[in-house]
Amino acid sequence: MRIKRVKIGNVILANDKPFAVIAGPCVIESEKHALTLASSLKKITSELKIFFIFKTSYDKANRSSFSSFRGPGMEEGLKILGRIKEQLKVPVITDIHNENQAHIVAGVVDFLQIPAFLSRQTDLIKACALTGKPINIKKGQFLAPEDMANVIKKAESFGNSNLTLTERGVSFGYHNLVVDFRGLEIMKKTGYPVVFDATHSVQLPGGRGICSSGNREFVFPLAKAAVAVGVAALFLEVHDNPNKALSDGANSLELKNFKQFLKHIKAIDKIVK
């Protein structure tokens, strides 16, 4: 098996390289908030010499309730992401939800993301692949890790092999997710960089009736376990005040704990790699 390397701006993702961090708030709440948080995250990761990619969404199209906050929308959201990328000189990733968005979003961000619920959508994969940009494909909560081989073949058939695969838990009954850490090894056998989404893995989908809930206290132990297995990157939702976050606050890491969290993770990654 040949270990594949995917370059995102100045960041190289590979399963045998020091781990990178893909982090940010679930959704853009405002330009000021996103820029301030991105700046704080860059400062922390720079001090720890950890590669950093900023993540956030301009539209959360799969919220539990119609009344839930979705974000500023694609036009305004891309302006904000472009400013963050330009001012902070960091690679940026965001998710898209239909094939018509792919080319437009690829003109701004460094890294396209296909959400877990849409990981089998052939037309969406095709549209992303044809942009030539790297793609992070989140494994659906309904998929076995070996099923990602079919998803990979779709992207490769359209000429794009700049792919990363993300584990974010699998549905276990109602309003619950579990992580089978065998899946990380299974997906690593493809050679592609594997990412562990430690914060969405502790989400309780729809757990509050009109929105999701989560068990933030389990982010750290699951992240430690994933890095002990060996991954290319950790995907983390981080917020300065998770209890006031407009989306996914219950499963987001608090910014004030982020640096200490990463120190522990880096120590484990160094031993494993």
Side-chain angles (χ1 to χ4, degrees):
M1 176 197 69
R2 185 173 66 87
I3 295 178
K4 301 178 187 295
R5 284 156 170 67
V6 176
K7 193 171 187 294
I8 317 293
N10 64 338
V11 179
I12 296 177
L13 300 181
N15 294 324
D16 63 344
K17 302 285 284 184
F19 84 109
V21 169
I22 303 169
C26 177
V27 67
I28 297 172
E29 298 182 7
S30 71
E31 179 173 348
K32 181 180 179 181
H33 180 261
L35 184 57
T36 301
L37 192 48
S39 180
S40 296
L41 295 172
K42 180 186 177 182
K43 182 176 184 292
I44 291 169
T45 51
S46 295
E47 288 173 355
L48 296 176
K49 295 181 171 54
I50 297 172
F51 287 122
F52 169 57
I53 298 169
F54 180 69
K55 59 80 53 184
T56 192
S57 298
Y58 55 77
D59 179 23
K60 301 302 293 183
N62 60 349
R63 295 303 304 272
S64 299
S65 169
F66 181 73
S67 62
S68 296
F69 180 75
R70 288 181 54 168
M74 185 171 69
E75 184 176 352
E76 180 60 25
L78 288 179
K79 289 179 182 177
I80 293 170
L81 288 169
R83 291 181 191 123
I84 291 171
K85 176 181 173 179
E86 181 180 353
Q87 291 182 34
L88 299 182
K89 309 299 182 197
V90 295
V92 173
I93 182 172
T94 197
D95 42 2
I96 67 171
H97 300 91
N98 64 65
E99 52 268 31
N100 296 325
Q101 297 176 349
H103 181 72
I104 299 169
V105 177
V108 177
V109 306
D110 304 276
F111 201 6
L112 300 175
Q113 181 165 281
I114 295 178
F117 284 126
L118 302 177
S119 56
R120 286 176 53 172
Q121 297 298 105
T122 303
D123 289 342
L124 181 59
I125 294 169
K126 176 183 179 181
C128 288
L130 292 177
T131 69
K133 284 292 179 82
I135 311 166
N136 182 39
I137 307 174
K138 288 197 166 187
K139 180 176 74 65
Q141 300 92 325
F142 44 84
L143 291 178
E146 56 268 25
D147 293 340
M148 290 300 284
N150 293 320
V151 177
I152 289 168
K153 287 177 183 176
K154 289 181 182 181
E156 289 178 336
S157 71
F158 298 115
N160 196 324
S161 57
N162 289 313
L163 311 172
T164 62
L165 312 175
T166 294
E167 171 61 64
R168 51 97 73 230
V170 67
S171 296
F172 186 72
Y174 301 119
H175 306 308
N176 198 28
L177 298 169
V178 296
V179 178
D180 179 354
F181 287 97
R182 295 175 299 179
L184 299 177
E185 281 298 308
I186 292 169
M187 290 196 291
K188 281 165 64 178
K189 289 179 180 178
T190 66
Y192 283 102
V194 171
V195 180
F196 180 62
D197 183 342
T199 46
H200 280 110
S201 291
V202 302
Q203 190 180 62
L204 301 175
R208 290 180 178 168
I210 61 169
C211 65
S212 294
S213 186
N215 291 310
R216 189 184 307 136
E217 65 268 30
F218 297 124
V219 172
F220 186 37
L222 291 188
K224 287 193 294 182
V227 173
V229 172
V231 290
L234 282 181
F235 185 102
L236 301 160
E237 304 217 300
V238 184
H239 199 281
D240 55 306
N241 188 353
N243 293 331
K244 297 292 185 179
L246 299 182
S247 179
D248 279 10
N251 54 267
S252 294
L253 277 177
E254 194 164 3
L255 178 62
K256 69 179 183 181
N257 299 323
F258 190 58
K259 187 171 186 177
Q260 192 62 29
F261 171 92
L262 289 183
K263 283 182 178 179
H264 287 292
I265 295 298
K266 184 176 179 179
I268 296 169
D269 186 72
K270 186 175 181 180
I271 294 169
V272 172
K273 301 283 174 67

